[in-house]
Amino acid sequence: MSDTATQYEKPLPVPSDISAPYWEGLNAGELRLQRCGDCGRYVFYPRSVCPYCLGERLEWVSASGRGRLYSYTIVRRAMNPAFAADVPYVFAIVELEEGPRVTTNIIGCALEDVRVDMPVKAAYDSVTSEVALLKFEPE
Ligand SMILES: [Zn+2]
């Protein structure tokens, strides 16, 4: 797990009125997605209008937290000094069971064991007392 708020020096998310339910969910250990009340599709990232049908009836629902590794790279040189102590680490795109893809990190897995299409589940990394980040680990 991560350090306390005063020690965390990486960039932090700034929730908006639209994305606040997503961040509140992560902080409560729950992955929340928007689902369109018109076409039924799941939407990520959070927004005010469905990108598929332009419907405005997006509702927040709990997601399973399960998905598969769609793609990844191993970061060996930090582009931001705040991440220098983390290298090497896995920067990944996970395709959620509900359909949307999210950028994330894979944790709890040796680098040499990471494979495209491996099943993964959500892990909630509480980096401060108010912010948890969505990461994934092998299921
Ligand atoms: Zn829609």
Side-chain angles (χ1 to χ4, degrees):
M1 288 296 126
S2 299
D3 300 326
T4 63
T6 54
Q7 296 168 317
Y8 192 78
E9 297 179 352
K10 297 172 194 169
L12 286 168
V14 180
S16 65
D17 288 345
I18 293 172
S19 70
Y22 171 77
W23 297 110
E24 290 164 7
L26 294 186
N27 208 27
E30 177 183 277
L31 175 57
R32 296 175 184 161
L33 295 175
Q34 290 174 301
R35 186 169 55 198
C36 178
D38 292 319
C39 73
R41 294 185 76 170
Y42 290 89
V43 173
F44 187 85
Y45 54 88
R47 44 195 122 185
S48 58
V49 174
C50 174
Y52 304 107
C53 75
L54 303 183
E56 296 179 359
R57 298 191 306 127
L58 294 173
E59 59 183 2
W60 287 98
V61 296
S62 295
S64 70
R66 291 189 298 273
R68 302 187 84 83
L69 182 55
Y70 177 77
S71 185
Y72 74 97
T73 189
I74 296 174
V75 178
R76 298 182 186 279
R77 183 179 303 182
M79 297 300 289
N80 179 324
F83 293 85
D86 293 347
V87 296
Y89 64 89
V90 180
F91 181 73
I93 300 172
V94 165
E95 186 169 280
L96 301 173
E97 200 170 63
E98 291 82 3
R101 294 175 184 155
V102 299
T103 53
T104 186
N105 298 121
I106 302 299
I107 61 173
C109 183
L111 296 179
E112 60 270 21
D113 292 336
V114 177
R115 297 283 184 274
V116 166
D117 209 37
M118 66 190 277
V120 292
K121 62 181 179 184
Y124 306 94
D125 186 5
S126 296
V127 298
T128 73
S129 59
E130 298 177 344
V131 176
L133 301 177
L134 178 62
K135 300 185 178 180
F136 285 84
E137 58 192 4
E139 176 151 33

